[in-house]
Amino acid sequence: MSKKSSGAAKRYRESFFAKNKLNYALTIITTIGSSILSVVLASFLKGLMDLAGGGNMEQLKRFFILTIALLVGYGVDFLILRTVKYNFMKKAVEGYRNKAFADITARSIGSFGKDNSSNYISALTNDVTSIENNYLLVQFDLLEQILTAVLALGLMIYYSWSMTLVVIVLCILPIAVSMVFGSKVAKQEQEISDRNAGFMAMVKDLLSGFGVVKSFQAQTEATALYGEKNHELEQIKCKRRKTTQLIQIISMMAGFLVQMGVFIFGAYLAIEGQITAGVVVAFVQMMNYILSPINQLPVLLANRKAAIGLMEKLEACCEESNEKERQETVDNVAEGIRFEHVSFSYEEEKTVLKDVSVNFEAGKSYAIVGGSGSGKSTMLNLIMGSYPEYEGSVTMGDKELKKVNTDSIFDLVSVIQQNVFIFDDTIRRNICMFKEFPDELVESAAVRAGLKNLIRENGWDYDCGEGGSHLSGGEKQRIAIARSLLRKSQVLLADEATSALDAETADSVTNAILDIEGLTRLVVTHKLEEKTLTRFDGIVVMRNGRVEEIGTFEELMEKKEYFYSLYQVSRE
């Protein structure tokens, strides 16, 4: 395993033991106790068989008392193990999930968007189940089986070294079987994880695009696509089950041959008077303790390796080397937001911004207009710190944003997208984003955002529905504005926030944004309405990734250049 991989596994292992070390220690202790009791049981069977061959009632009574004591010990150990083991599992899985989610949400917007969200969903659901079963539980199984085998082997040597040698020779066959199939299981486990992530991505797309599917009457094709991906996923899972079953069958047959070999050789030694019948019975029992790990260890280790691979996969997904280097912070925008000779490309040879220079003064409002693909939204993305790989300089206050941590940026900046995400929760919790604020601040933000009528009619506890299905487009946008006001952001970015709204609602939402005082507002819009544009302090006109013009509505109309043409076309 590479140093990087070991580091990934170690980092997530720490989440398993957070406030969970006592449960882990007690689980280890009781697991060791279970192994010792298992080997003692084999010794008891030997004693019972020997007693039956030539003992007395007094010995039988003592043996009976010892049997009761062994039974009580088993019961106590089992009850303690059951409690501490599953308490450990509960806290370990909970801690891992929290750590994984925290790592995912710590990513920047730009890096988060580079990966399909189905990978994150799979990492937090199916992968966690695999890690729970194949990493956490397996470690206790490994300990118990290895320790039991070592103790059994020691007792076997004590009873008869010759029979022990026969057992070791006969175990070569099941060892070979396990080694052959172990790596195949690990490979199939990883493939299941990858296929499952792809399947979830497809399901997400089909359900998210339900309206499009219905409008094009493509249900049959969508169902066929679902069936195809479902078949592929179940096919690899079926192969995994078949491989496991094949290992079990071959191992069972090999184990039967080993048992028969031990019985025959043991019977021979017993007939020759070298051992007792009790030793033969004890050997058969202890041989099972050795065969079990031989059969299962390669599969368990392969599964464990696959589970570690899933942790490494999440680690690789959540790596944020840029964020680690960006440690500077910004605490105000008093000096505005400035672009100086900025060029940027999402992909090589596809430049989106070309030598852009513009200054957005603090506390003022700006409309950013231009044709589709002219770079309007990209400017906002750079301000949010999503893509630090630009050329030139983008500063907020007096800080270069490519050096500033994105958490610091979002302390000052709020964003309203075209599609505002609304959680399936109350109006109040959607505005507060699950944080606690004084009632007067929440009410003030709601009123300033134009939500007074909605709240008066439905109340603060009104259920917004999944994705805000119980709200109109304008109401969703107003909730987004209220979020920004409540956070007391110094900058508000609105990216085509009104494009999906009717003209009246769009004007209302835009005016609500422009009515906010003391806030730097950058509004990307394709709606060129004179009564709205005249309210902006400035208009930045984009064309093919460049700043074509800058000025007020009146100044740009008087120049009669590119903006004038756009405006005239929009009125036709």
Side-chain angles (χ1 to χ4, degrees):
M1 186 182 296
S2 67
K3 291 182 178 180
K4 180 179 178 181
S5 299
S6 299
K10 181 179 178 181
R11 206 163 63 83
Y12 282 111
R13 274 200 300 267
E14 292 173 355
S15 68
F16 298 144
F17 301 106
K19 298 181 180 180
N20 206 14
K21 292 183 176 64
L22 179 60
N23 284 321
Y24 181 73
L26 291 175
T27 303
I28 294 296
I29 292 171
T30 49
T31 299
I32 292 173
S34 179
S35 296
I36 294 173
L37 288 170
S38 296
V39 176
V40 170
L41 174 62
S43 182
F44 262 58
L45 290 175
K46 172 191 175 296
L48 181 60
M49 289 300 298
D50 290 342
L51 183 63
N56 55 52
M57 291 302 297
E58 189 63 30
Q59 290 175 321
L60 183 61
K61 288 179 181 179
R62 287 199 301 268
F63 194 86
F64 177 75
I65 294 172
L66 290 174
T67 301
I68 296 299
L70 178 63
L71 181 62
V72 171
Y74 251 124
V76 172
D77 185 81
F78 172 77
L79 290 175
I80 297 175
L81 177 60
R82 174 178 175 271
T83 300
V84 297
K85 182 178 182 179
Y86 292 114
N87 281 343
F88 169 78
M89 291 298 299
K90 177 178 73 68
K91 289 187 177 181
V93 173
E94 182 180 333
Y96 176 81
R97 270 208 179 99
N98 289 340
K99 173 66 175 173
F101 187 79
D103 283 354
I104 290 171
T105 55
R107 304 189 72 185
S108 68
I109 292 177
S111 61
F112 182 90
K114 292 177 182 178
D115 293 300
N116 196 308
S117 60
S118 61
N119 290 329
Y120 305 128
I121 296 173
S122 179
L124 295 171
T125 53
N126 297 285
D127 289 0
V128 171
T129 301
S130 178
I131 291 167
E132 178 181 0
N133 294 326
N134 298 328
Y135 184 84
L136 291 172
L137 282 175
V138 157
Q139 63 182 320
F140 303 122
D141 292 340
L142 288 171
L143 173 64
E144 183 173 8
Q145 293 196 28
I146 293 173
L147 181 58
T148 303
V150 170
L151 292 174
L153 185 62
L155 192 59
M156 290 167 71
I157 293 173
Y158 173 77
Y159 285 146
S160 173
W161 66 267
S162 58
M163 276 196 69
T164 303
L165 184 61
V166 170
V167 169
I168 293 173
V169 172
L170 291 174
C171 285
I172 293 176
L173 176 60
I175 290 175
V177 171
S178 298
M179 291 180 63
V180 169
F181 288 97
S183 59
K184 188 174 183 180
V185 171
K187 183 178 179 181
Q188 289 176 339
E189 188 72 28
Q190 183 64 50
E191 189 174 354
I192 288 173
S193 175
D194 295 339
R195 289 289 180 90
N196 189 72
F199 179 74
M200 294 183 72
M202 181 271 300
V203 172
K204 177 186 172 186
D205 284 345
L206 290 179
L207 295 181
S208 299
F210 179 78
V212 177
V213 172
K214 292 293 288 186
S215 65
F216 278 87
Q217 291 292 293
Q219 299 97 309
T220 302
E221 290 74 14
T223 301
L225 176 60
Y226 178 90
E228 178 184 347
K229 295 296 183 181
N230 188 29
H231 173 74
E232 291 176 358
L233 175 61
E234 291 305 318
Q235 186 77 4
I236 185 60
K237 288 168 67 177
C238 182
K239 288 182 180 178
R240 170 69 166 78
R241 296 188 193 104
K242 288 180 178 179
T243 301
T244 303
Q245 186 67 32
L246 180 61
I247 294 174
Q248 292 174 347
I249 292 173
I250 297 177
S251 297
M252 182 178 66
M253 295 174 63
F256 176 75
L257 291 175
V258 174
Q259 283 183 329
M260 292 305 298
V262 171
F263 263 121
I264 294 170
F265 188 70
Y268 165 75
L269 292 180
I271 292 171
E272 292 293 319
Q274 297 183 30
I275 60 173
T276 64
V279 172
V280 177
V281 173
F283 257 79
V284 171
Q285 180 66 29
M286 290 186 290
M287 182 188 59
N288 291 328
Y289 296 150
I290 294 177
L291 279 177
S292 179
I294 288 175
N295 291 333
Q296 297 185 36
L297 274 180
V299 176
L300 293 178
L301 290 172
N303 286 342
R304 186 175 185 273
K305 183 178 179 181
I308 293 174
L310 295 178
M311 286 189 275
E312 293 169 1
K313 176 182 174 183
L314 178 61
E315 170 73 7
C317 183
C318 292
E319 276 189 336
E320 250 332 315
S321 57
N322 286 331
E323 281 300 297
K324 292 176 183 178
E325 298 170 2
R326 298 162 64 184
Q327 296 300 319
E328 291 191 25
T329 60
V330 56
D331 55 14
N332 69 79
V333 291
E335 297 181 26
I337 300 172
R338 183 184 298 272
F339 283 65
E340 293 183 353
H341 305 291
V342 175
S343 297
F344 175 74
S345 302
Y346 290 105
E347 301 177 17
E348 292 184 10
E349 301 179 358
K350 291 185 179 180
T351 305
V352 181
L353 294 181
K354 306 169 185 176
D355 195 30
V356 171
S357 295
V358 61
N359 180 35
F360 300 105
E361 296 182 29
K364 292 188 176 183
S365 59
Y366 295 88
I368 304 176
V369 303
S372 178
S374 59
K376 305 185 298 297
S377 297
T378 300
M379 292 182 68
L380 301 193
N381 286 333
L382 297 191
I383 293 173
M384 288 188 289
S386 302
Y387 301 96
E389 305 87 3
Y390 54 81
E391 297 178 6
S393 174
V394 182
T395 57
M396 180 181 293
D398 60 349
K399 297 294 180 67
E400 171 58 57
L401 290 188
K402 67 175 63 177
K403 299 179 180 179
V404 173
N405 186 278
T406 53
D407 288 341
S408 174
I409 296 173
F410 279 102
D411 285 338
L412 303 178
V413 177
S414 290
V415 184
I416 305 175
Q417 304 283 2
Q418 177 180 343
N419 297 315
V420 177
F421 190 85
I422 301 295
F423 294 91
D424 188 7
D425 213 311
T426 65
I427 292 175
R428 181 186 180 88
R429 285 172 64 81
N430 265 289
I431 292 175
C432 297
M433 288 299 293
F434 312 107
K435 297 182 178 181
E436 293 296 328
F437 292 94
D439 291 343
E440 57 271 19
L441 292 181
V442 180
E443 292 171 5
S444 174
V447 170
R448 292 173 66 193
L451 289 168
K452 184 177 180 179
N453 291 337
L454 174 66
I455 294 170
R456 184 177 63 245
E457 294 173 4
N458 300 285
W460 286 99
D461 293 329
Y462 180 68
D463 183 11
C464 297
E466 183 179 357
S469 58
H470 299 165
L471 302 176
S472 68
E475 289 167 343
K476 295 179 187 178
Q477 298 291 357
R478 291 180 184 280
I479 285 179
I481 296 172
R483 288 171 178 170
S484 174
L485 294 173
L486 188 59
R487 291 184 61 225
K488 297 183 179 179
S489 304
Q490 296 184 33
V491 179
L492 176 62
L493 308 179
D495 189 2
E496 299 284 10
T498 63
S499 62
L501 307 178
D502 61 81
E504 183 178 352
T505 304
D507 288 342
S508 177
V509 170
T510 302
N511 287 328
I513 294 173
L514 294 173
D515 287 339
I516 303 170
E517 298 180 357
L519 189 66
T520 304
R521 289 141 294 170
L522 277 60
V523 179
V524 170
T525 180
H526 70 280
K527 294 183 178 180
L528 304 183
E529 297 289 340
E530 180 178 358
K531 61 181 179 180
T532 301
L533 293 175
T534 53
R535 295 197 58 194
F536 285 94
D537 296 305
I539 300 173
V540 178
V541 186
M542 301 293 297
R543 184 180 187 182
N544 297 327
R546 301 181 184 276
V547 175
E548 189 74 11
E549 298 177 88
I550 301 177
T552 64
F553 178 80
E554 292 80 6
E555 291 170 346
L556 295 176
M557 290 299 288
E558 287 178 5
K559 290 173 65 175
K560 293 188 176 180
E561 295 181 356
Y562 183 61
F563 175 79
Y564 179 85
S565 301
L566 287 177
Y567 181 75
Q568 295 300 328
V569 170
S570 69
R571 295 174 58 84
E572 293 179 359

